Amino acid sequence: MNPPVPSRLGLTAPVGGHARIPKSATPRVPPNLTDYDAACRDFSWAGARALLDGLPDGRGLNIAHEAVDRHAAGPRADRAALRWIGRAGERAFTWRELHDETSRVANALQGLGLGPGARVFVLAGRIPELYLAVLGALKARCVVCPLFSAFGPEPIAMRLEIGEADALVTTEALYRRKVEALRPRLPRLRHVVLVGEAGAATAVRDTLDWQRLMQDASTEFVIPRTEPEDMALLHFTSGTTGRPKGAVHVHEAVVMHNVTGCYALDFHPDDVFWCTADPGWVTGTSYGIIAPFTNGVTNLVVEAEFDAQGWYDILERERVSVWYTAPTAIRMMMKLGSAALAGRDLSALRFMASVGEPLNPEAVLWGVEAFGMPFHDNWWQTETGGIMIANYAAMDVKPGSMGRPLPGISATILRRDETGGVREVSGPMQEGELALKAGWPSMMRGYLKEEVRYAKCFVGEWYLTGDLAMRDEDGYFWFVGRADDVIKSSGHLIGPFEVESALMEHPAVAEAGVIGKPDPMAGEIVKAFVALKPGFEAGETIRRELLGHARKRLGAAVAPKEIDFRANLPKTRSGKIMRRLLKARELGLPEGDISTLESDER
Ligand code: AMP
């Protein structure tokens, strides 16, 4: 059995505890969740469900009704629902307009024979038609799968095949570049609908024109009876090996999307919310589409990719009040320094959150320095469908911690025993696998056609997340690493994240990725790959300085023994550092599935 790991993650910690950033004593608006313990005690899923309307006449629960139609029929009908900042223009939709346009989509799909259960894939950049297609397809009770538009032809074709796509909504340019040549491989794909350049009509063989379909479709559509357990969304996630897995989500997931928007993102009626994730990833759907709409806040969508100054312009000009982004972007902004924000009026901004990979304590603290408030880290996965663990507006933030479980969510730390069973660890800051008690509304209902893989995720009532974590004496959770990324060196279990965080504290380091490298003596040694900030030069001097810095912070047993420099680290397109790829390359092993690889630094 592994020895318990002492509390090494609290990098800014005073002896005997973790550093805290106290909750705001004078919040601009009272947080939705004011007393965490009371909220947990009083929470019920029935109560969360009651925050939604359900379809009229008891016809069930449909995500698109909660996101669009109920607001279109209420006092928010003429308020801004979707505000789109395109590369070459802007558009806005009120809830009434969103209702009409998504009803057109639903009618058009139905007219093509795409009814309940039909699989509709959407492959597009962040253009308004993507949002209309997703919501319209949900109205028609189709199953929607948004695909990331920067995927190459092969990953797209593979996902369309595994997901048994009946229809694809995409743009003319993407179709020609990425789908047309592989279409013969996809006999099941009956309809391809193309959005032309800047929404103009198209005429490509074997495809339909979005504009014509919309023109001819009615703006009235009655959502058919929808059972909460009806399949609604399909999200692909890459394992470390094997084919991408299609996680199945149902309409009932909207209960979670809605309540997490309220508690973890602290949505209030006048908010302008910006989720920087692309809907090709689960964050960009659950929180880039569904949660802001169900909560009735204005959802800002930005077509362009990351650019720090461009993002600051948007935060300022659009008066963004709640901002949900990711560690990679935060680290890139940190690289530029807080001086880049000088003179900006960001007075509308009141809550910042981050998800997707571990958020280094340095990054949380930089939020305070640069924006006057911390980034609130939260944790979840494609499989969980919604935020599970979070730092809340009305709770002290411990930099480096993912926060505490959402009311209604039971999370724990488990260790497997020799018989294949599991037991909960006793006592604080003991490392084990992060597990969640099954049964929350947005839990995946399966991996498409992979029952064995799905069954392996559960032991008894627990869903095993595949992440290693610790829980402290106050119930805050601390991320250690993916179970398959963890390093075992001379009997010590070492999470790559804590080593990366220690390196990130050094002013020269922009990014760090840490792996275990096989070693005859130690089993594995810790090896770090580091990207330096502008103005620092790779070489022996800085290597020695970083090794010394890490030894001082972490101790000799945990500090890296080797450091290599890279211009960039390989990342997934959703911004996660691909440690397994760093490792495969270091060891000359096959690189495995790299369909999600974004930047290749070799
Ligand atoms: P995905 O299913 O692609 O969204 O990836 C989920 C995985 O990302 C989790 O299992 C974690 O390994 C990682 N992750 C997401 N959010 C966090 C976070 N706040 N801290 C640490 N790891 C995270």
Side-chain angles (χ1 to χ4, degrees), residues 236-238 281-283 324 327 354-359 376-384 389 391 400-403 434 463 465-468 478-483 485 497 572 574 576 579:
F236 282 93
T237 173
S238 293
W281 309 107
V282 69
T283 305
Y324 195 20
S354 165
V355 73
E357 53 163 357
L359 186 64
H376 292 77
D377 188 18
N378 58 55
W379 177 96
W380 58 292
Q381 312 174 300
T382 304
E383 287 85 346
T384 70
I389 296 178
N391 286 284
S401 162
M402 312 187 284
L434 176 61
Y463 163 70
T465 65
D467 283 354
L468 296 183
W478 299 77
F479 185 78
V480 173
R482 289 292 302 167
D485 280 344
F497 171 54
T572 64
S574 57
K576 296 179 205 295
R579 297 185 189 85

Side-chain angles (χ1 to χ4, degrees), residues 569-581:
L569 299 181
K571 291 189 210 71
T572 64
R573 295 178 191 280
S574 57
K576 296 179 205 295
I577 294 172
M578 292 179 86
R579 297 185 189 85
R580 77 168 169 83
L581 198 55

